[in-house]
Amino acid sequence: MESRTTGSADGAVSVVVIVYNDAAHITTAVESVLAQGDAVGEVIVVNDASTDNTREAVDALAARHPLVRPLHRTENSGGCGSPRNDGIAAAQHPYVMFLDSDDVYPAGAVDALLAAADGVDMVAGQCVRRELPEKRDTVWAPGLYDPTAGATLPGTVMDGIGAHPEFLLDTLSVNKLYRRDFLTGHAVRFPDGAFHYEDFVFTAKVYAAAPRTAVVAAPVYVWHVRRDAAELSISLRRATIANWEHRVEAHRRVVEVFRKADLDTLAVAAQTKFLDYDLPMYVRELPQRSAAYRADWWRATRAYLAAFDEAAYTAAEAPSRWLARAVVSWEAPAELERVVALAAQPPRLLPPSHTTGSGLPVLAEGLPEVELDGLAELPPGKLPLTVNGTVAVGRSLGFILTVRELHGLLGPLKPQRLLLRLVDQREDRPTLERDQPLLRTGADAWQAEFAVRTRDLAVHERLMSWRVRAEVVCADGTRIPAEVRAATPGAARRTVVLGAGLPLLVQAHVTPRQALMVRVVGGVQGGIDVVGRRLKRLARKVK
């Protein structure tokens, strides 16, 4: 390894920036650190033996900015852990932070973390996921960091996370400030070499050492998500079975870290988090995968879940628990549509209802029984209802939504009305809502009809994708949310209509997991953009 040290300014924080073949973004990343002000004492840029112009870009930054310390590795490590470990070893200041070359720090990030750093080992702040090129922002783990989403931890200090196992949901290393002596004293390092999801293991080691932790609500990291990039980030490569295997191995090591630290409660909580978060995320995408992928995925997942503590299943959300038990109980992929529906957001339990001979509800018939334990005890607002929908496409969109009974649990709640909610996929347009009475259409179903002007969903020269959601409103005011499922899955239906004198291309779309969507393209240029995006997707498949 070859390194060069320059003078460092008076500052409290060493920032470790890792880069591999990313000459296009490294300058922007480093400049976002330098813009943080005097609190930054050095910027250690670890170049993991790049083969493009990254070395020249890093050296040019060092020539202009004395705080930048290039550290050029002579061999590529194959992962993110080794270069970050190099940075920790080279750090000279009391605190350490991390940054990836394709991301940035928002203004004031370092100061916001340092303001809460007195007397603690770690400060954690809000990470913002920014979809590019749209620049659509969402908060990572909003339940932990966003007070507007109900987060209660910001402004508090925790002595370890034992009392707040929900903090295990945050597996990121980059949205935090660490006391360097704490990392060194507890030998906390990333897995070396070609190990993916290295953050999982690193954060587990941090949590296992019971750091005194301050939590702030301020945005401290911007995670750039580039779905059109020539080389997808590890978190976006979910189409390969290797990605799932890497994730499982990382999670296995997380549990092992807690076991070795005699923190069995956190080990079980990590397993529960896997059931509630990691497992449904990948199950939702199974319809898009090949039969070979599904068979491999099922086999690997079944073997892993079979070793989980029963306490983890008990603590998991009911739909996630049923989903996991189906994978363990069934030797090969089966009832895929019903399994995927349990992973929907929110979950849904597809009709018809199945029961055992003694009347207990089960997921399917003709297979080893997966009991739907806890179904009757779910709060009414969390019932996994199925709402089927059809849409007639034209100048006006005609929706017919049907709500199905669920093991006799919905009828006693006296459903009264149905809200149709059309939600912009980019989340930058107001949600469009319609409200209609729910009318019984039989012993086990209710129905409502809606009309929406197509032009109300159009934006000039843009493709607008609208998710179709619903809320059942019951007599006591209970609201039960649901993602609308296409009643007649099949080919997308398109038509061209005139809206306010402009041509609109309107499409009723069905996703691989059978969710209903509506796409509206306004104007000629909008249509051209749609064609361009399709060509890009085709080019990627060819590669």
Side-chain angles (χ1 to χ4, degrees):
M1 187 188 307
E2 172 192 338
S3 66
R4 178 167 63 86
T5 304
T6 63
S8 64
D10 233 355
V13 182
S14 296
V15 177
V16 177
V17 185
I18 62 170
V19 58
Y20 173 68
N21 283 357
D22 198 16
H25 302 117
I26 184 60
T27 298
T28 300
V30 171
E31 287 180 345
S32 79
V33 180
L34 295 171
Q36 298 296 312
D38 293 341
V40 175
E42 61 183 349
V43 187
I44 303 168
V45 184
V46 186
N47 167 27
D48 198 7
S50 298
T51 57
D52 65 351
N53 295 325
T54 292
R55 182 186 182 109
E56 290 77 9
V58 172
D59 286 343
L61 283 164
R64 295 194 303 271
H65 304 287
L67 293 185
V68 176
R69 294 177 55 197
L71 197 160
H72 297 293
R73 292 179 56 90
T74 56
E75 293 185 7
N76 179 255
S77 69
C80 298
S82 294
R84 287 197 188 124
N85 289 338
D86 293 343
I88 295 172
Q92 300 176 350
H93 294 272
Y95 297 99
V96 175
M97 291 176 63
F98 303 106
L99 176 66
D100 291 348
S101 63
D102 53 349
D103 300 329
V104 295
Y105 286 160
V110 173
D111 284 344
L113 292 168
L114 276 176
D118 188 31
V120 302
D121 303 306
M122 179 176 77
V123 186
Q126 189 180 112
C127 171
V128 174
R129 279 174 57 102
R130 178 166 296 162
E131 296 272 355
L132 297 176
E134 298 91 344
K135 294 185 178 180
R136 178 169 62 89
D137 289 353
T138 55
V139 175
W140 168 262
L144 299 179
Y145 294 106
D146 186 357
T148 66
T152 59
L153 289 177
T156 68
V157 175
M158 305 181 291
D159 287 315
I161 68 166
H164 294 280
E166 69 272 18
F167 211 74
L168 289 170
L169 185 63
D170 183 4
T171 55
L172 300 180
S173 65
V174 291
N175 60 329
K176 300 174 179 71
L177 173 86
Y178 307 90
R179 189 165 57 82
R180 182 166 61 89
D181 287 349
F182 173 84
L183 296 181
T184 301
H186 292 278
V188 177
R189 292 295 186 269
F190 293 88
D192 278 309
F195 188 94
H196 296 167
Y197 295 105
E198 71 292 331
D199 274 15
F200 288 21
V201 182
F202 178 84
T203 54
K205 291 178 179 178
V206 171
Y207 297 156
R212 186 166 170 79
T213 301
V215 183
V216 300
V220 300
Y221 196 88
V222 179
W223 174 2
H224 286 151
V225 180
R226 296 179 170 88
R227 299 185 188 276
D228 291 335
E231 181 72 15
L232 292 175
S233 65
I234 289 170
S235 63
L236 296 180
R237 299 177 200 165
R238 295 201 294 269
T240 66
I241 192 65
N243 178 276
W244 178 242
E245 291 170 343
H246 286 309
R247 194 180 192 100
V248 167
E249 174 58 21
H251 185 264
R252 186 192 65 77
R253 292 205 195 181
V254 167
V255 174
E256 184 180 81
V257 165
F258 292 135
R259 298 282 194 209
K260 287 183 175 179
D262 292 325
L263 296 170
D264 285 345
T265 300
L266 284 181
V268 171
Q271 291 178 337
T272 300
K273 174 260 180 185
F274 186 89
L275 297 178
D276 283 334
Y277 179 76
D278 302 72
L279 181 65
M281 177 168 57
Y282 281 74
V283 168
R284 284 192 290 272
E285 297 176 350
L286 286 180
Q288 305 170 48
R289 309 298 179 224
S290 68
Y293 174 98
R294 290 197 292 265
D296 289 343
W297 183 92
W298 198 277
R299 183 166 49 252
T301 308
R302 186 169 186 251
Y304 186 54
L305 296 182
F308 274 32
D309 289 37
E310 182 59 28
Y313 283 93
T314 302
E317 297 285 338
S320 301
R321 178 166 68 246
W322 308 332
L323 167 59
R325 291 201 189 283
V327 175
V328 173
S329 301
W330 302 342
E331 291 186 4
E335 291 283 354
L336 191 62
E337 191 174 6
R338 296 180 72 82
V339 168
V340 172
L342 292 177
Q345 296 176 305
R348 55 179 180 258
L349 184 60
L350 297 184
S353 297
H354 298 294
T355 58
T356 64
S358 59
L360 292 175
V362 292
L363 182 59
E365 62 181 4
L367 289 164
E369 288 180 359
V370 174
E371 184 181 339
L372 304 180
D373 57 314
L375 173 61
E377 288 73 44
L378 285 175
K382 289 195 172 183
L383 288 177
L385 291 184
T386 294
V387 178
N388 288 331
T390 63
V391 56
V393 175
R395 296 187 67 175
S396 179
L397 300 174
F399 293 90
I400 300 177
L401 304 187
T402 303
V403 183
R404 312 296 300 190
E405 180 56 275
L406 182 68
H407 286 278
L409 297 173
L410 182 58
L413 295 174
K414 299 179 181 179
Q416 304 286 304
R417 306 190 332 271
L418 189 66
L419 298 183
L420 169 69
R421 305 179 71 245
L422 299 177
V423 182
D424 174 20
Q425 190 170 26
R426 296 183 181 180
E427 299 180 352
D428 62 359
R429 303 289 297 178
T431 296
L432 188 148
E433 291 192 358
R434 296 288 186 271
D435 185 346
Q436 289 291 338
L438 261 179
L439 304 177
R440 262 199 183 274
T441 58
D444 64 349
W446 295 258
Q447 197 170 88
E449 298 186 17
F450 303 84
V452 178
R453 291 189 307 179
T454 303
R455 70 184 186 186
D456 290 344
L457 302 178
V459 173
H460 186 54
E461 306 295 6
R462 273 185 59 183
L463 166 65
M464 298 296 299
S465 295
W466 298 88
R467 297 188 178 100
V468 184
R469 302 297 178 98
E471 278 191 6
V472 176
V473 183
C474 300
D476 64 354
T478 296
R479 290 175 176 244
I480 310 174
E483 177 186 59
V484 176
R485 174 177 176 266
T488 54
R493 298 173 296 282
R494 300 182 183 89
T495 190
V496 176
V497 301
L498 287 177
L502 294 173
L504 301 177
L505 177 62
V506 187
Q507 178 190 49
H509 176 68
V510 180
T511 72
R513 67 174 188 272
Q514 306 306 323
L516 187 63
M517 293 186 68
V518 175
R519 292 172 173 168
V520 181
V521 181
V524 176
Q525 184 58 49
I528 293 173
D529 290 344
V530 171
V531 173
R533 291 187 183 195
R534 181 165 297 173
L535 290 174
K536 283 183 180 179
R537 287 196 297 271
L538 288 173
R540 176 176 287 175
K541 287 182 179 179
V542 170
K543 288 181 180 180

